[in-house]
Amino acid sequence: MTISIWRYSHLALAVSSFLLLTLLSITGIILAFEPISQKTQPFGVNGFSQITLAKSLPALRKAYPDISELTVDANQFVKIKATDTNGKNLDAFVDPLSGKVLGTTPKENDLFETVRSLHRSLFLHEVGRAIIGVTAFLLMLITTSGIALIIQRQRGIRHFFKRIVRDSFAQYYHVVLGRLSLIPILIIAISGTYLSLARFDIFDIKKNSIKVDFDNIKSTPVRKATEISVFKNTKLSEVESVEFPFSEDVEDYYTIKLKDREIAVNQITGDILSEVVYPKAVVYSNLSLDLHTGRTSIVWALVLAVAAANILFFIYSGFAITLKRRANRVDNKFKANESNVIILIGSENGSTYRFAKAVHQQLLKQGQRSFITELNNYTIFPKAEHLIIITATYGLGNAPTNAAKFFNLLKKYPQGQNINYSVLGFGSHAYPDFCQFAFEINNFLSQQTWAKPLIDVHTVNDRSPQEFELWAEAWSQQSGLIIEASADLKMPQKHKLKSFTVSSNTATGTEDGAFSVRLKTKRLQKVTSGDLLAIYPANDNRERLYSIGVIDNEIQLSVRLHEHGLGSGFLHRLTVGQKMQARIVYNKHFHFPAKSPEVVMISNGTGIAPFLGMINQNKANVPCHLYCGFRHSHSVDNYKAVLNQGKAAGKLQHLRVALSREGNKQYVSDLIARDPDFMVNVLSTKGTIMICGSLAMQRDVMDVLEGICKTKTGKGISYYQSHNQILTDCY
Amino acid sequence: MPRFFKLFCLFAALFMIGQAASAQTNKYKCMVQMSNYMGDGAYVVISLINSKGAYEKTLYVLGSDKKWYNSLKEWHKFYKAKPTNINAITGASVTGGDRSVNVIELEQSKINAGYKIRFESAVEDKKYNVSDVEVPLTTEGLSAKTEGTGYIRHVRFSAN
């Protein structure tokens, strides 16, 4: 996997160089203030960029007859070397037009001098410079791998500056600041590397010396310095330095050093005696120096200082992330081949580990032999009864690094006994392919003969504790093993229960024991169809969940009475007017889609419950098509009233009913298989398919849909699942 | 009388000291043109060498950071033994290809008297040249261009 290569190299490079990078960043920040302190000196002149050599050189030579040299520094201050009227050496900043002294050359600041020496050679001369050069190169690689990681994380370069999902402080700002400052940091790294290489003569930066043919030097025609064309055409701002003729002898000439060349000019005739163009490497070296030191611009110097400070933050946050990730490693008490609960994890940065570990710890506490490992370590689990798969999705619906081999392993190691599985996907709706990998695993497992779905696939958006709890409750209910999500994830222990009043109960029921209970409560507006009602039939921690359909502002539960059923028995016994305590579980992923143009509802048995409510609440008359399956025709009678009312009001377009024990003996999946074009049309026009009922029905329907989608659209069903176009809530 | 004699002696001594101090000196511009060597700025010291080949006076130092002075080994021995204030005759170090023009003072009496001017050079982590250039302190020597053997390409003088 390329992802892990980038991440490992990013980490390995950082670990190998962080000490030096810390030192270099701190010294770099200090050095950034050198150009800033220099530029605030009052040695500049107005209109500097307009001054030509023809204006400046003769004036300066008149003011200082024995001027030997003029330099234009990075701050565009003009410095000369000459002798003053007392015959003393003069080394000062001057006005290039009048020669007026603006200030003497300040002594190099000892602090900057020492810090610079530390910054570029660690006081170790050549050895130190080599070490620094290597460090700069490593920084370049770290930055490059960092860019690659951001591109991976953001799914392509086009989304580079899109929103970043917040995991933790360190992770979030590592990425946010990373993409803001990676350009300056990359520039620092490249220029630093270049300067180091240049230092070790890797590039040809040897300047050729000017060769003047003294035999052919002419002393006529005499031109005034102000008339010499090369002087008139050259601005001071293009010049690095000018060496004045050593004497008035014709053999002594001006040497003008520009950024990219050096020219010798006859002081009498103004002829160009010789010209040497510097190798390109010299120009690059100068550019590197400008970029690395910020000597030409205060703004850039400040940018560099901020970027260097960011490097310090990256070192801190990078290690914080790594340590957190490492802390997630767990030791198993039991071996894989002796454990009855197997927890498999797919996680890219370890945040899902926290949840998986909580589950693992709780199971261990209850004396279960729980084994936790990565999806890539999947193998034969001879004693396993439960398989819990907790996985994130990475990139464009890809497997996380530690789960990449899972599908191959799954094919390779079919389990010998039946195992109940449950898949829990972690993800964020900020990404388009929400939990796609989890859906893929769930669909793939459902095709294995040994794998029995215990509960429907669940997802957790942005690590929502409520959604995690939803899964934990569903799983506990079906497995009989208690997972209290609250204990380890800091949630309120006791749920606040609400009071409900029974307004009707059709408990007389039909032959297959289906009945409906309607409940009233104050402030119903927070509840909608698709939410769940958690009841506590025995007033203990045993909880049962039922799908809610909101009909005429009342909660309707559709239930089938099971023999010895704890929950269904309790509900069956309820009488009108009776009060009961229960809790609403917000189940956002199965709400009626707000923006969908068309909705297909598929149910069997009491799975029709939320759909009854949704149809009733469909005030906008979004085209709805209900495909429902029952055993007998009289099972439908229970719901006839609500359905007919919906049809009459235009809230329900079509109703298709499959009866499994009468007439054609059809299943609801047979109805779906009959309308392939319709299903594809709904999906390809951004419509939604909602499925509620038994897991067996869900598997059949999904198989049919998978076949239809694969042949007609070329996309797997998990694509639509991850785009919230196929919603399931099965049990 | 003795008192007068003493006073006379004192005046005479003062006069002679004054005479020595104001010995006839001339100023010269001295140009050091560096070759295109690769590396950091060179430290160059210009010294007056007597006829026995010993250091007599420091004329100019190109390079201001005292911590590098020990790299100019021979001169540094002399300087350490007899430290003098060289602040007024210290300039910046010179990098490859550059030149440095400075004013040095030479006593008239030392010219054509067997003295030499030595240019000693050192570059960080590179070779040290005890005598990069030696110019005989004669009228011809001061008017000619003298080629260097190390980092210095040539040196020239001109009366100021």
Side-chain angles (χ1 to χ4, degrees), chain A residues 115 164 176 179 181 192 245 350-351 360 405 417 461 469 511 558 580-581 637 639 659 669 683 712 719:
Chain A
V115 171
I164 288 167
V176 168
R179 51 181 195 184
S181 61
S351 67
H360 177 65
K405 291 187 280 184
Q417 75 282 23
N461 178 35
E469 207 182 337
E511 241 171 73
S558 301
M580 63 171 284
Q581 300 289 306
D637 298 344
Y639 317 112
L659 300 173
S669 53
L683 288 177
K712 303 238 172 196
Y719 170 85

Side-chain angles (χ1 to χ4, degrees), chain A residues 634-649:
Chain A
H634 55 77
S635 313
V636 196
D637 298 344
N638 242 330
Y639 317 112
K640 268 272 158 66
V642 178
L643 293 175
N644 287 336
Q645 195 192 332
K647 261 188 144 176

Side-chain angles (χ1 to χ4, degrees), chain A residues 68 125 207 244 252 257, chain B residues 36 60 98-99 124 156:
Chain A
S68 68
H125 306 290
K207 300 175 182 177
F244 287 83
D252 284 320
K257 294 180 178 176
Chain B
N36 289 322
Y60 213 87
D98 280 356
R99 67 170 203 185
E124 186 186 343
R156 276 174 71 189

Side-chain angles (χ1 to χ4, degrees), chain A residues 66 68-69 81 83 86-87 89 125-126 129 199 205-209 243-244 246 252 257, chain B residues 27 29 31 36 38 40 60 68 97-103 124-125 153 156-158 160:
Chain A
D66 58 354
S68 68
E69 195 178 342
K81 282 180 76 177
T83 46
N86 302 324
N89 274 321
H125 306 290
E126 294 295 273
R129 282 175 185 267
R199 162 79 193 185
I205 57 165
K206 204 170 161 64
K207 300 175 182 177
N208 288 316
S209 18
E243 287 172 0
F244 287 83
F246 185 60
D252 284 320
K257 294 180 178 176
Chain B
K27 286 180 175 161
K29 274 206 290 187
M31 177 178 92
N36 289 322
M38 305 291 291
D40 283 332
Y60 213 87
W68 299 116
D98 280 356
R99 67 170 203 185
S100 179
V101 179
N102 299 286
V103 177
E124 186 186 343
D125 302 317
R153 183 180 296 146
R156 276 174 71 189
F157 295 90
S158 99
N160 199 18

Side-chain angles (χ1 to χ4, degrees), chain A residues 65-69 81-83 86-89 91 107 113-114 117 120-121 125-126 129 198-199 201 203-210 214 241-247 249 251-253 255 257 262, chain B residues 27 29-40 60 62 64-68 87-92 94-105 124-126 145 153-154 156-158 160:
Chain A
D66 58 354
I67 180 170
S68 68
E69 195 178 342
K81 282 180 76 177
T83 46
N86 302 324
K88 296 274 189 214
N89 274 321
D91 196 344
K107 275 203 71 158
E113 196 51 34
T114 310
S117 177
R120 67 180 173 200
S121 68
H125 306 290
E126 294 295 273
R129 282 175 185 267
R199 162 79 193 185
D201 305 350
F203 309 114
D204 177 27
I205 57 165
K206 204 170 161 64
K207 300 175 182 177
N208 288 316
S209 18
I210 286 236
F214 291 104
S241 71
V242 176
E243 287 172 0
F244 287 83
F246 185 60
S247 71
D249 194 290
E251 289 194 1
D252 284 320
Y253 46 83
T255 306
K257 294 180 178 176
E262 203 170 306
Chain B
K27 286 180 175 161
K29 274 206 290 187
C30 168
M31 177 178 92
V32 179
Q33 171 67 54
M34 306 304 284
S35 67
N36 289 322
Y37 74 90
M38 305 291 291
D40 283 332
Y60 213 87
L62 299 175
S64 55
D65 197 340
K66 290 195 168 53
K67 78 168 175 247
W68 299 116
N87 280 347
I89 50 167
T90 302
V94 246
T95 38
D98 280 356
R99 67 170 203 185
S100 179
V101 179
N102 299 286
V103 177
I104 60 171
E105 291 191 16
E124 186 186 343
D125 302 317
K126 287 198 185 280
K145 185 161 98 176
R153 183 180 296 146
H154 61 251
R156 276 174 71 189
F157 295 90
S158 99
N160 199 18

Side-chain angles (χ1 to χ4, degrees), chain A residues 375-552:
Chain A
L375 276 162
N376 272 355
N377 296 332
Y378 176 86
T379 179
I380 296 281
F381 302 110
K383 296 275 172 61
E385 294 160 23
H386 291 288
L387 188 62
I388 300 174
I389 294 177
I390 301 181
T391 183
T393 296
Y394 200 74
L396 289 163
N398 293 330
T401 313
N402 64 1
K405 291 187 280 184
F406 178 66
F407 285 131
N408 285 333
L409 293 170
L410 197 66
K411 280 182 223 155
K412 202 169 154 193
Y413 299 116
Q415 303 293 339
Q417 75 282 23
N418 283 351
I419 301 180
N420 294 314
Y421 72 87
S422 164
V423 178
L424 177 61
F426 277 77
S428 167
H429 279 301
Y431 294 127
D433 306 286
F434 177 65
C435 290
Q436 183 167 345
F437 185 63
F439 292 123
E440 272 171 20
I441 290 187
N442 198 57
N443 297 343
F444 201 74
L445 275 173
S446 70
Q447 291 155 23
Q448 313 299 315
T449 48
W450 55 265
K452 304 294 169 204
L454 187 69
I455 51 170
D456 189 11
V457 58
H458 278 65
T459 56
V460 175
N461 178 35
D462 288 334
R463 291 168 300 137
S464 149
Q466 287 76 25
E467 287 178 330
F468 179 69
E469 207 182 337
L470 205 60
W471 169 83
E473 279 162 5
W475 193 83
S476 302
Q477 190 175 328
Q478 294 299 320
S479 66
L481 305 173
I482 310 298
I483 301 174
E484 280 175 32
S486 42
D488 291 283
L489 294 161
K490 292 176 193 148
M491 274 173 288
Q493 280 275 345
K494 265 282 176 201
H495 297 299
K496 247 183 137 179
L497 299 182
K498 264 176 112 176
S499 185
F500 296 84
T501 314
V502 180
S503 64
S504 76
N505 191 348
T506 64
T508 45
T510 53
E511 241 171 73
D512 56 1
F515 64 99
S516 301
V517 178
R518 283 210 187 182
L519 303 168
K520 273 197 288 200
T521 184
K522 284 179 238 159
R523 287 199 295 140
L524 196 70
Q525 59 269 32
K526 278 189 180 169
V527 190
T528 189
S529 302
D531 283 338
L532 305 173
L533 188 75
I535 61 168
Y536 302 86
N539 264 330
D540 58 10
N541 60 358
R542 280 177 295 170
E543 180 187 79
R544 293 294 180 264
L545 297 170
Y546 292 90
S547 267
I548 291 174
V550 176
I551 297 170
D552 301 335

Side-chain angles (χ1 to χ4, degrees), chain B:
Chain B
M1 255 346 216
R3 180 186 275 181
F4 178 72
F5 182 70
K6 270 182 198 164
L7 208 60
F8 173 79
C9 282
L10 185 67
F11 270 108
L14 280 174
F15 177 74
M16 280 163 76
I17 289 165
Q19 191 67 356
S22 64
Q24 185 72 45
T25 60
N26 278 353
K27 286 180 175 161
Y28 288 86
K29 274 206 290 187
C30 168
M31 177 178 92
V32 179
Q33 171 67 54
M34 306 304 284
S35 67
N36 289 322
Y37 74 90
M38 305 291 291
D40 283 332
Y43 270 56
V44 177
V45 65
I46 308 170
S47 322
L48 184 67
I49 306 289
N50 66 21
S51 50
K52 291 171 198 145
Y55 289 90
E56 186 157 317
K57 193 182 173 195
T58 304
L59 297 174
Y60 213 87
V61 183
L62 299 175
S64 55
D65 197 340
K66 290 195 168 53
K67 78 168 175 247
W68 299 116
Y69 284 176
N70 59 8
S71 63
L72 296 155
K73 286 174 206 148
E74 288 304 311
W75 169 77
H76 191 246
K77 282 184 209 164
F78 159 74
Y79 176 68
K80 232 170 58 182
K82 237 176 90 181
T84 47
N85 183 3
I86 55 169
N87 280 347
I89 50 167
T90 302
S93 59
V94 246
T95 38
D98 280 356
R99 67 170 203 185
S100 179
V101 179
N102 299 286
V103 177
I104 60 171
E105 291 191 16
L106 292 170
E107 283 170 43
Q108 201 59 48
S109 58
K110 303 282 165 71
I111 296 171
N112 296 323
Y115 284 87
K116 286 186 290 193
I117 298 177
R118 174 184 289 177
F119 294 76
E120 199 169 332
S121 62
V123 172
E124 186 186 343
D125 302 317
K126 287 198 185 280
K127 201 175 143 249
Y128 155 68
N129 302 296
V130 187
S131 174
D132 201 326
V133 183
E134 269 190 357
V135 183
L137 189 46
T138 57
T139 320
E140 295 94 59
L142 287 176
S143 60
K145 185 161 98 176
T146 314
E147 302 291 330
T149 59
Y151 307 114
I152 298 173
R153 183 180 296 146
H154 61 251
V155 298
R156 276 174 71 189
F157 295 90
S158 99
N160 199 18

